[in-house]
Amino acid sequence: MRAFGYWYGTLKGGAVINNVRWGKEETFKYCFDGIPKNGIVAIGTVASGLKNLENRKLFSAGFEKMFEVLTPKIILVYGSDNYEFFDKVRNKIQIIHFQSAKDLALRGEINE
């Protein structure tokens, strides 16, 4: 995914919005490689297990590291953005939230 994004965005001049993902803390040293700094990134919170406090702690640590390393100007969030790690950066950057299909269906706004 990173290699294609780099190739298409840098070498071919295409528009790329990278989906940023990380695992445990040992992945932080390489999981942001190939993603341009000061740009737009996408993050999914759907199915990330954030209701579990241990998962939320790890996700928060990865989010903070991503913010430090990439210094994005805009973050696109698919799923809930109702977490304190997003609140910490809202006054610094733009966060654009897209509700998941499940959330929309539960509210009766779409049929699955």
Side-chain angles (χ1 to χ4, degrees):
M1 177 174 64
R2 298 284 181 261
F4 178 78
Y6 178 81
W7 171 79
Y8 188 71
T10 304
L11 304 177
K12 295 294 183 181
V16 175
I17 297 175
N18 288 281
N19 183 39
V20 182
R21 299 184 59 95
W22 52 86
K24 295 183 177 179
E25 288 189 30
E26 57 265 16
T27 68
F28 296 178
K29 54 188 157 204
Y30 60 83
C31 65
F32 310 116
D33 291 350
I35 300 173
K37 295 181 181 195
N38 305 310
I40 302 172
V41 297
I43 295 175
T45 60
V46 174
S48 59
L50 289 174
K51 292 184 190 236
N52 176 302
L53 293 179
E54 279 302 308
N55 291 348
R56 192 177 309 171
K57 182 179 173 183
L58 179 60
F59 194 95
S60 178
F63 181 85
E64 289 174 14
K65 186 66 173 179
M66 180 274 307
F67 193 79
E68 173 190 319
V69 171
L70 299 178
T71 58
K73 299 295 180 207
I74 299 173
I75 298 177
L76 306 177
V77 180
Y78 178 70
S80 178
D81 67 341
N82 192 24
Y83 296 101
E84 67 180 44
F85 46 86
F86 289 117
D87 293 338
K88 289 179 183 178
V89 300
R90 283 187 203 279
N91 63 343
K92 300 174 187 170
I93 63 165
Q94 183 178 8
I95 295 177
I96 301 172
H97 166 245
F98 298 92
Q99 289 185 318
S100 70
K102 178 183 172 186
D103 289 340
L104 292 171
L106 288 172
R107 291 180 26 201
E109 295 183 25
I110 63 168
N111 295 321
E112 284 195 57

